[in-house]
Amino acid sequence: MFMRRCIELAALGIESVSPNPLVGALVVSDGKIVGEGYHMKFGEAHAEVNAIKNVLESNADGPALLKRSTMYVSLEPCSHFGKTPPCADLIINSNIPRIVIGCRDPFPHVNGNGITRLRDAGVEVIEGILENECYTLNKRFFTRIQKQRPYIILKWAQTKDGFFAPENRSQKWITSSNSRQLVHRWRSEEDAVLIGKNTALADNPRLNVREWKGKSPIRIIVDRNLELSSSLNIFDQSQDTIIFNALRTELIGRTKYLELEDFDNLLPQLICYQLYLMDIQSVIVEGGATVLNLFINAGLWDEARVFTGKEEWESGIIAPVLEGKPLHTITVGSDELNTWQNES
């Protein structure tokens, strides 16, 4: 029960902590929560710091209360100096006798060192509580650390008979307003959104979150020969924008042009590695069909979210196809939403 509350708290930071992990923490005494906190923003206080601060500010006997409490935390406390001091040292110096941890932190500067430091100081450590749930919570962070690339989410909409877009590449809505609002929410939760040149031309998208309250993602466009007009919405300077191309590297306002050496081989891998170097932890690939199929054929994706509308077009650009069965199926407005997980 207490670890589930840690996970709930941690999730509140999804729009603001990347590239750090999501972490929630509780201080429990006599079976009651006496303090709680979560990592609220990258570079600021960690969850453990906020939970302990909450105890001290809310209880006159805070220091004495900590000495007879148990701390619950969804991720192993850090043991190194980064933008903030080590949380393991704070727990030790606060004389908290017992800590319950959801899962270990694979970051090389932590990865068991926080647990070792706590145990060496005499703190009782219990680990592996709701471990899978805690791991899933930080799937983006763990993917970046362990695979040296962002967590990749594929997203597209298709008609009931399997078409992605009209053959003339004109803009035509497939999904309901409910689904479009959900997509804007998803964008607020990820670091970046990626599309190809043809999608930019056909839809002239803004790639922001105007139908949801939250941060807009970094826009990423694949435009090999820099053919897109500067009058398009993606060049409006309202968001950081990256243009992967084969011609030049240059920064103009909030638009960064990044030259890739080879567009004909391993393009998705090259893009992902560049984004990893830039600490971009998660990307939604929204199209078009060619770009989506590049990632699918490379096996370079973690999750796919596919809307199926009620219309049948009988012709058009064929939607990408995933093997196997979806993990989840739900109804969103008048649409069906299927979610796949890449297990390979």
Side-chain angles (χ1 to χ4, degrees):
M1 179 183 69
F2 292 133
M3 190 59 69
R4 289 197 187 282
R5 177 58 181 162
C6 287
I7 293 171
E8 289 176 358
L9 288 168
L12 296 175
I14 194 165
E15 294 184 13
S16 54
V17 305
S18 178
N20 278 359
L22 298 161
V23 186
L26 303 178
V27 179
V28 176
S29 182
D30 297 324
K32 296 181 180 180
I33 297 172
V34 294
E36 60 181 29
Y38 66 97
H39 185 27
M40 301 174 70
K41 188 175 181 181
F42 174 71
E44 296 186 359
H46 289 186
E48 300 93 323
V49 175
N50 288 329
I52 290 172
K53 181 181 178 182
N54 186 215
V55 173
L56 296 176
E57 291 179 346
S58 304
N59 299 274
D61 61 341
L65 191 59
L66 290 173
K67 291 180 181 180
R68 60 178 189 272
S69 295
T70 298
M71 170 165 275
Y72 289 78
V73 61
S74 57
L75 187 70
E76 175 184 6
C78 62
S79 55
H80 67 292
F81 282 88
K83 290 185 177 293
T84 59
C87 290
D89 288 358
L90 176 64
I91 294 165
I92 293 166
N93 293 334
S94 298
N95 297 303
I96 297 174
R98 187 170 179 257
I99 182 167
V100 179
I101 296 170
C103 66
R104 292 197 175 203
D105 186 342
F107 186 62
H109 292 298
V110 186
N111 199 10
N113 294 328
I115 290 172
T116 298
R117 183 175 294 193
L118 290 166
R119 284 178 171 154
D120 287 348
V123 178
E124 179 188 356
V125 178
I126 298 171
E127 57 176 311
I129 305 302
L130 295 187
E131 186 172 24
N132 289 337
E133 289 89 339
C134 290
Y135 188 92
T136 299
L137 172 73
N138 275 307
K139 57 191 177 184
R140 300 163 181 82
F141 174 74
F142 292 157
T143 297
R144 183 175 66 87
I145 296 298
Q146 295 172 330
K147 297 184 178 181
Q148 297 189 328
R149 65 165 175 81
Y151 187 85
I152 303 297
I153 301 168
L154 309 180
K155 191 281 296 181
W156 72 85
Q158 61 188 28
T159 62
K160 192 173 181 180
D161 51 352
F163 292 103
F164 179 88
E167 287 181 355
N168 63 5
R169 299 187 183 277
S170 62
Q171 187 182 46
K172 189 174 180 181
W173 288 112
I174 294 174
T175 56
S176 65
S177 59
N178 304 76
S179 296
R180 293 195 290 274
Q181 185 180 51
L182 179 57
V183 169
H184 284 224
R185 175 184 171 180
W186 289 343
R187 288 177 182 171
S188 76
E189 296 172 347
E190 311 304 335
D191 287 353
V193 55
L194 183 152
I195 62 170
K197 178 196 69 175
N198 289 334
T199 299
L201 283 171
D203 298 346
N204 192 18
R206 297 185 184 277
L207 301 179
N208 59 16
V209 294
R210 60 194 178 276
E211 295 189 26
W212 188 263
K213 185 178 180 180
K215 69 171 181 64
S216 289
I218 297 169
R219 299 181 290 208
I220 303 171
I221 320 299
V222 182
D223 181 12
R224 181 174 186 162
N225 297 314
L226 296 179
E227 299 172 88
L228 294 173
S229 168
S230 60
S231 65
L232 293 173
N233 289 326
I234 56 171
F235 295 106
D236 65 8
Q237 298 294 313
S238 64
Q239 295 156 243
D240 290 343
T241 302
I242 299 168
I243 311 293
F244 283 114
N245 69 91
L247 301 179
R248 73 176 193 262
T249 294
E250 185 179 7
L251 180 63
I252 301 177
R254 298 182 70 177
T255 302
K256 181 180 292 186
Y257 294 85
L258 284 179
E259 180 182 353
L260 295 179
E261 295 179 358
D262 189 352
F263 262 71
D264 296 317
N265 299 287
L266 305 176
L267 180 60
Q269 291 87 339
L270 289 171
I271 289 173
C272 284
Y273 186 62
Q274 287 296 320
L275 298 179
Y276 164 75
L277 294 176
M278 298 167 71
D279 275 342
I280 291 176
Q281 191 158 262
S282 61
V283 179
I284 302 179
V285 181
E286 293 199 8
T290 300
V291 172
L292 286 161
N293 280 318
L294 275 175
F295 280 85
I296 291 170
N297 293 336
L300 199 55
W301 61 281
D302 299 286
E303 189 177 327
R305 303 169 182 176
V306 182
F307 291 100
T308 300
K310 298 178 72 174
E311 289 191 17
E312 295 188 16
W313 289 356
E314 299 183 355
S315 65
I317 297 172
I318 297 173
V321 176
L322 296 171
E323 295 182 358
K325 295 182 178 181
L327 190 65
H328 301 293
T329 300
I330 63 171
T331 300
V332 180
S334 59
D335 309 315
E336 180 181 272
L337 171 60
N338 288 296
T339 302
W340 273 262
Q341 202 77 32
N342 188 358
E343 303 296 342
S344 60

